[in-house]
Structure formats: C-alpha cells, structure tokens
C-alpha cells in the first residue's frame, strides 16, 4: 500500500511540475507580458497590400520598453495623395454620393484605429468602423507587418 501512495505522490508532483512549465494561457496577463517583451524598441513602418483601386495603408509604430507608445496611420491613394476630404470624388466632384460617403467613412476611421491600437496593444481587439472595412483590413495588415519587423 505504501508503494502505491509513493507512486501517487510522485505522479502528483510530476503533473504539478509539468503544469508550471507550460506556456501561459493566451489571454492571461503573463501571455500579454510575454507578447510585449517580444517587440524591440524602435520605429517601424509598413504598408498594406493595395486595394482594388491601388490605395494602400501605411502605419508607423513607435515601440518603447516593448510596448506600442505611438501609432500613425494614413491611407494613401494610388497617385500618392493622402486620403482626405477629396477621397471618393472624381475630378474634384462627387459623382457617386454613396461611394463618396463610404470613402469618407474610411477617412473618418483613420485616426481612430491607431489610437485604439496604442490603448489595446492588440489589433485583434479593434473593431472595424462600419463602412470602412477595407480601410480596417489594410490597417490590420500594415500593423502586423510592422510588428513582424519589431520582432526580428
């Protein structure tokens, strides 16, 4: 009987040691701390793939002490101009009001995304603004590329 008790105690100790060596749960504070530590301090810039009109999103991230402390994002049209009040116009005129409204939703979303990124430290925790899904997808892609550079 003592033999079985000793084996049982050894098993419990072994399981406890193995559990202590496992990696932290994805959503635990330890996992977040581990993720933050994986970024090297510096400034990183990356662009998304172009959309169907040739526009890209460009992010510049500043990493300090392993955290994103600053994020600047801009939408850049195929001709190199920054998306602004004229985005969605054709030859300076609104020819398609629905398209223009969607384009302007994207422009309005642009400053919200980087602010939320600094706050959450996780692009997956940022909701896309209604009507600005393409802009969000480009933002998310550019952020992932910049953070890949920060891990190298």
């Amino acid at each position: 009987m003592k033999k079985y008790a000793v084996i049982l105690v050894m098993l419990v100790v072994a399981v406890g040691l193995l559990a202590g060596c496992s990696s932290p749960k994805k959503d635990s504070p330890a996992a977040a701390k581990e993720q933050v530590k994986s970024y090297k301090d510096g400034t990183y810039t990356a662009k998304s793939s172009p959309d169907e009109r040739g526009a890209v999103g460009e992010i510049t991230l500043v990493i300090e002490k392993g955290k994103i402390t600053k994020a600047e994002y801009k939408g850049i049209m195929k001709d190199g101009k920054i998306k602004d009040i004229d985005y969605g116009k054709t030859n300076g005129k609104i020819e398609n009001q629905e398209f223009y409204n969607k384009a302007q939703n994207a422009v309005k979303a642009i400053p919200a995304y980087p602010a939320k990124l600094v706050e959450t430290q996780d692009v997956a925790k940022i909701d896309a603004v209604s009507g600005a899904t393409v802009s969000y997808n480009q933002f998310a892609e550019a952020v992932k590329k910049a953070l890949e550079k920060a891990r190298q």
Side-chain angles (χ1 to χ4, degrees):
M1 194 70 158
K2 284 184 182 180
K3 184 176 172 182
Y4 292 117
V6 170
I7 291 172
L8 182 61
V9 169
M10 289 175 60
L11 244 160
V12 169
V13 170
V15 168
L17 288 173
L18 288 174
C21 294
S22 67
S23 59
K25 290 182 182 177
K26 192 175 185 180
D27 295 332
S28 72
K33 200 172 190 180
E34 191 174 282
Q35 181 184 10
V36 168
K37 287 182 179 179
S38 66
Y39 301 134
K40 292 181 186 173
D41 289 358
T43 302
Y44 303 92
T45 301
K47 289 183 180 179
S48 71
S49 303
D51 65 14
E52 70 279 354
R53 291 185 167 78
V56 297
E58 181 180 271
I59 190 82
T60 300
L61 300 177
V62 176
I63 309 281
E64 295 174 349
K65 297 181 182 174
K67 289 183 71 175
I68 302 166
T69 58
K70 187 175 181 184
E72 292 179 359
Y73 180 70
K74 55 188 169 188
I76 305 169
M77 296 184 289
K78 186 177 182 177
D79 64 4
K81 292 181 183 174
I82 304 299
K83 292 180 180 179
D84 60 11
I85 193 74
D86 290 325
Y87 180 56
K89 294 180 179 178
T90 305
N91 298 321
K93 297 179 185 174
I94 301 172
E95 293 185 358
N96 179 333
Q97 188 67 48
E98 186 179 337
F99 174 72
Y100 179 75
N101 291 345
K102 282 185 177 183
Q104 288 304 299
N105 276 344
V107 169
K108 290 174 187 167
I110 286 173
Y113 292 144
K116 199 70 174 162
L117 179 65
V118 172
E119 178 187 324
T120 64
Q121 298 292 307
D122 185 353
V123 74
K125 293 181 180 175
I126 301 171
D127 294 327
V129 172
S130 179
T133 306
V134 171
S135 180
Y136 171 79
N137 290 340
Q138 287 185 316
F139 170 77
E141 179 187 352
V143 167
K144 288 175 184 172
K145 287 180 177 181
L147 291 177
E148 284 173 18
K149 290 179 183 180
R151 283 189 189 106
Q152 295 176 357

